[in-house]
Amino acid sequence: MSVTDELLANNARYAETFSGPLPLPPAKHVAVVACMDARLNVYGALGLAEGDAHVIRNAGGVITEDEIRSLAISQRLLGTEEIILIHHTDCGMLTFTDDGFKQSIEDEVGIKPPWAAEAFSDVEADVRQSIARVKASPFVPKKDSVRGFVFDVATGRLTEVA
Amino acid sequence: MSVTDELLANNARYAETFSGPLPLPPAKHVAVVACMDARLNVYGALGLAEGDAHVIRNAGGVITEDEIRSLAISQRLLGTEEIILIHHTDCGMLTFTDDGFKQSIEDEVGIKPPWAAEAFSDVEADVRQSIARVKASPFVPKKDSVRGFVFDVATGRLTEVA
């Protein structure tokens, strides 16, 4: 049995006690942008329940064009007003460089990715970079509460980046 | 108190019983790409625990350049091998068109977004589109298990898209 099949069996159990549907717009009017890291359970770490918040995730929890697209849809069409950005300690993005990663792909498949890998060497600095990218976007209208945090994978605790 | 502050209070309670750190590479060697929808709790719906899987999310659960970036990092640097794609019923992406959404932004702020909004009119067809985009990418090496599903927000159940 593949892992996918194992997770589908888990889903059958989840559905047994599931009660829906909830409304489409997030009840808490908040959108979270977080790293895809497996140790960062966003619902658990923020005490979210189904229906509470949009959760956007990618490698690093960085802000690229696609996160601006998601945030624009979240705020303009579905009423979210606060943004929470979450990076974390021991991030994989600290372990390589854009140039090195892209060169390794080019060496293997002959094509250099046309995108930035978005590696970073300082987690807190990259949280600030993400906040700055959101604030600079003309497509995200509500910026009164755009706050950034580092999740500690040892303690489970969020620390705000000033 | 803002919602963000309320969620930080939840985090303090979460950290009280948190035990870390777990290893960086996902234990189940799987990456999930899902919609940001608030009603789709990926950890709950798949029975994932902290440390199990990469979770990538955006508006629609679509595959754009940024999801290829995240999947490339997930597979090439952190050892994931299976990909699970999840769209869902009653998705906000069914309620608008790219042209209409972009025109409304241009009307309001004077700038037309240079990106596609990635709206769709058929959830299952867009799951197939996402699978096709992953399979077409030269940057994602492991494609033996790329499976797509629709999450029913009424029942909590995943149905595979053939």
Side-chain angles (χ1 to χ4, degrees):
Chain A
M1 190 160 89
S2 70
V3 171
T4 299
D5 288 318
E6 175 193 325
L7 299 182
L8 288 174
N10 291 348
N11 174 251
R13 283 191 291 278
Y14 175 77
E16 282 172 9
T17 58
F18 186 88
S19 177
L22 291 162
L24 172 53
K28 292 196 180 295
H29 308 291
V30 63
V32 180
V33 181
C35 184
M36 70 179 180
D37 191 275
R39 300 163 297 179
L40 176 48
N41 172 355
V42 173
Y43 277 66
L46 294 176
L48 294 170
E50 280 81 349
D52 277 350
H54 282 145
V55 181
I56 300 157
R57 303 184 64 172
N58 64 28
V62 301
I63 300 293
T64 75
E65 190 172 84
D66 195 51
E67 288 64 51
I68 295 298
R69 177 186 71 86
S70 294
L71 289 169
I73 291 168
S74 176
Q75 292 197 346
R76 292 178 173 276
L77 300 181
L78 294 163
T80 65
E81 298 183 345
E82 296 180 38
I83 296 174
I84 296 175
L85 305 169
I86 307 178
H87 285 36
H88 63 93
T89 59
D90 191 37
C91 188
M93 306 298 284
L94 296 161
T95 66
F96 64 94
T97 64
D98 276 34
D99 284 351
F101 182 65
K102 292 171 70 166
Q103 186 64 52
S104 72
I105 292 178
E106 184 176 354
D107 290 346
E108 188 178 319
V109 303
I111 305 172
K112 185 174 182 176
W115 29 264
E118 296 285 349
F120 47 78
S121 59
D122 180 320
V123 174
E124 295 198 352
D126 204 73
V127 171
R128 288 187 203 99
Q129 176 65 216
S130 291
I131 293 171
R133 288 183 183 185
V134 171
K135 292 200 169 172
S137 173
F139 308 124
V140 179
K142 292 165 190 162
K143 298 170 183 169
D144 287 344
S145 184
V146 181
R147 294 167 62 182
F149 302 87
V150 175
F151 176 81
D152 188 324
V153 297
T155 67
R157 188 172 288 274
L158 290 166
T159 300
E160 186 153 16
V161 176
Chain B
M1 190 160 88
S2 70
V3 173
T4 299
D5 288 318
E6 175 193 325
L7 300 182
L8 288 174
N10 291 347
N11 175 251
R13 283 191 292 278
Y14 175 78
E16 282 172 8
T17 58
F18 186 88
S19 176
L22 291 162
L24 172 53
K28 293 197 180 294
H29 308 291
V30 63
V32 181
V33 181
C35 184
M36 70 180 178
D37 190 275
R39 300 163 297 178
L40 176 48
N41 172 356
V42 173
Y43 277 66
L46 294 176
L48 295 170
E50 279 81 348
D52 278 349
H54 282 145
V55 181
I56 301 157
R57 303 184 65 172
N58 65 27
V62 301
I63 300 294
T64 74
E65 190 171 83
D66 195 51
E67 287 64 52
I68 295 298
R69 177 185 71 85
S70 294
L71 289 170
I73 290 168
S74 177
Q75 291 198 346
R76 292 179 173 276
L77 300 181
L78 294 163
T80 64
E81 298 183 347
E82 297 179 40
I83 297 174
I84 295 174
L85 305 170
I86 306 178
H87 285 37
H88 64 92
T89 59
D90 191 37
C91 187
M93 306 299 283
L94 296 162
T95 66
F96 64 93
T97 64
D98 276 33
D99 283 352
F101 183 65
K102 293 170 70 167
Q103 187 64 52
S104 72
I105 293 178
E106 185 176 354
D107 290 348
E108 186 178 322
V109 302
I111 304 171
K112 185 174 181 176
W115 30 263
E118 296 285 348
F120 46 79
S121 58
D122 181 321
V123 173
E124 295 198 351
D126 204 74
V127 171
R128 289 188 202 98
Q129 175 67 218
S130 291
I131 293 172
R133 288 183 183 184
V134 170
K135 291 200 170 172
S137 173
F139 308 124
V140 180
K142 291 164 191 164
K143 298 169 182 169
D144 287 344
S145 185
V146 181
R147 294 167 62 182
F149 302 87
V150 176
F151 176 82
D152 188 323
V153 298
T155 67
R157 187 172 289 274
L158 290 165
T159 299
E160 186 154 15
V161 177

